[in-house]
Amino acid sequence: MPHPAPIRDAATVILLRETPQGPSVLMGRRGARAAFMPSKYVFPGGALDPVDATVPFAAPLPAHHADRFGDKAGPLAACAIRELWEETGQILGRPADWPDAPPGWRGFARSGHRPDAAALVPVFRAVTPPGQSRRFDARFFLARAERLASDPDDFTRAEDELAHLHWVPLARSDALDLPRITQLALRELRARLDDPDPARPVPFFHGTMEQDTPL
């Protein structure tokens, strides 16, 4: 019997923008040959890298959010911002010199910014169900497009992991080929737009179970 896939910490960014078509989110399509969720439309995100624990923020994750994560607060926030940069070329940061940026962050540093974790709001958590080739304990962060330090329509600095990057109106998102977890995250986003109470619990999906829990 093959060993079950280990569960890796991961972070994802739901980038929200007001457009003439209504509230929209930035999404892209994974490659047809991708080992995980091939051909699916997803938010930018990925696995935590050890270097994410070394990142100095221009502004940290607010304490009332950071308390949900304990020691993982900084690394997960950094992971979310790094993955957004790598997969879309978008900069969630503030102008600052960063001459000693570690590998994996040097392109971001050359843009003249340090990461801005204060722009992130934790809204969702999900663990990949058993039986998948890769499993993640993914924390989803919401960020508003107006907090970007980059042109929200410029994807020229993106790596090639996601194709067809574009702003998807929430009203049309169900027409895309979405993973189940992405559908659930969008459901939570819509609920938050209707009920913006900052004390709203964060749903946690683990397998087929749903509960409200600290992250």
Side-chain angles (χ1 to χ4, degrees), residues 51-58 78 81-82 85 91-116:
V51 75
D52 295 328
T54 71
V55 170
F57 293 103
I81 295 170
R82 176 180 54 76
W85 160 256
I91 301 169
L92 199 60
R94 300 186 186 185
D97 292 331
W98 192 4
D100 57 348
W105 282 91
R106 290 172 182 167
F108 190 101
R110 284 194 295 271
S111 77
H113 298 82
R114 290 198 186 205
D116 178 17

Side-chain angles (χ1 to χ4, degrees), residues 195-210:
D195 175 18
D197 183 354
R200 182 179 174 86
V202 175
F204 176 25
F205 287 83
H206 193 299
T208 59
M209 300 298 292
E210 176 183 0

Side-chain angles (χ1 to χ4, degrees), residues 44-213:
L48 187 68
D49 190 297
V51 75
D52 295 328
T54 71
V55 170
F57 293 103
L61 195 68
H64 58 286
H65 294 322
D67 288 346
R68 296 176 179 269
F69 299 99
D71 292 343
K72 293 182 179 180
L76 286 167
C79 175
I81 295 170
R82 176 180 54 76
E83 289 287 341
L84 178 68
W85 160 256
E86 291 176 354
E87 296 188 351
T88 72
Q90 296 297 322
I91 301 169
L92 199 60
R94 300 186 186 185
D97 292 331
W98 192 4
D100 57 348
W105 282 91
R106 290 172 182 167
F108 190 101
R110 284 194 295 271
S111 77
H113 298 82
R114 290 198 186 205
D116 178 17
L120 298 172
V121 177
V123 294
F124 189 71
R125 179 183 179 185
V127 175
T128 310
Q132 301 293 318
S133 61
R134 296 181 182 178
R135 299 187 68 197
F136 299 97
D137 185 349
R139 282 71 162 193
F140 290 67
F141 293 92
L142 174 65
R144 299 276 178 169
E146 55 263 32
R147 300 294 294 269
L148 292 172
S150 50
D151 179 349
D153 294 312
D154 181 5
F155 307 122
T156 57
R157 291 173 294 197
E159 297 179 2
D160 60 0
E161 186 169 347
L162 295 180
H164 197 206
L165 284 164
H166 66 294
W167 292 94
V168 179
L170 287 179
R172 303 178 190 171
S173 59
D174 290 342
L176 299 179
D177 186 4
L178 303 174
R180 174 63 174 159
I181 291 301
T182 304
Q183 294 173 359
L184 295 174
L186 284 167
R187 185 186 75 179
E188 173 61 17
L189 174 61
R190 294 186 184 100
R192 284 179 176 271
L193 293 178
D194 292 336
D195 175 18
D197 183 354
R200 182 179 174 86
V202 175
F204 176 25
F205 287 83
H206 193 299
T208 59
M209 300 298 292
E210 176 183 0
Q211 62 188 57
D212 294 330
T213 183

